[in-house]
Amino acid sequence: MLRGFEHAGITVRNIDRSLAFYVDLLGLKLVVRRLGLYGNEIAFLHAGNSMLELVSPATGALLAEDVAEGRAGIRHLTFSFDDVEETYHQLEEAGVEMVEPPRPAYNPDIVGKVAFCRDPDGLLIELTEP
């Protein structure tokens, strides 16, 4: 029987920079950081009811690319906040690449307001508000 969604893993170029974004700016909680196989650095971050796994390969990684229409893949990661406007402005002031300012959601039956930015590796991040 399904118990829930456990975690998603993403590849990052620099784990320190990614931790600064996800922990210091977005507010996820660091659960564990350790060396993985083959010298990879791994961190698990608590994000409410699930976790985000960061994997920084010892061999390095390229910048993320958006998933093209018609191609399978992760389009974005979404995080929910009490106040999208406030979060958006805090990220903007911190120098985060902002993509789309807060606006009403296209799916108002799911969330009220959304905004978009990019993480340090170029992955699209959706910020939502109930």
Side-chain angles (χ1 to χ4, degrees):
M1 173 177 264
L2 178 67
R3 292 183 55 153
F5 182 78
E6 166 43 51
H7 76 272
I10 62 172
T11 300
V12 300
R13 295 180 300 163
N14 180 298
I15 202 156
D16 291 320
R17 193 170 54 219
S18 292
L19 285 170
F21 176 78
Y22 287 103
V23 174
D24 299 341
L25 295 176
L26 293 188
L28 281 72
K29 306 292 184 221
L30 178 62
V31 175
V32 65
R33 178 180 179 175
R34 62 180 165 77
L35 284 177
L37 298 175
Y38 315 112
N40 295 346
E41 285 191 80
I42 299 171
F44 281 88
L45 310 177
H46 191 261
N49 294 330
S50 60
M51 286 195 283
L52 179 64
E53 177 185 13
L54 307 179
V55 178
S56 182
T59 56
L62 299 174
L63 193 64
E65 294 180 3
D66 289 341
V67 176
E69 285 294 326
R71 171 169 258 175
I74 293 180
R75 298 178 61 85
H76 58 265
L77 296 178
T78 304
F79 298 94
S80 181
F81 297 90
D82 292 330
D83 187 334
V84 165
E85 297 269 351
E86 179 183 334
T87 302
Y88 181 90
H89 294 299
Q90 289 173 346
L91 294 173
E92 189 174 45
E93 288 175 10
V96 171
E97 179 186 348
M98 306 313 288
V99 175
E100 187 176 344
R103 63 164 170 79
Y106 295 146
N107 301 305
D109 51 325
I110 298 172
V111 296
K113 196 180 284 186
V114 301
F116 291 87
C117 67
R118 293 204 182 269
D119 82 350
D121 296 298
L123 186 63
L124 190 62
I125 304 296
E126 181 178 20
L127 314 167
T128 67
E129 175 181 311

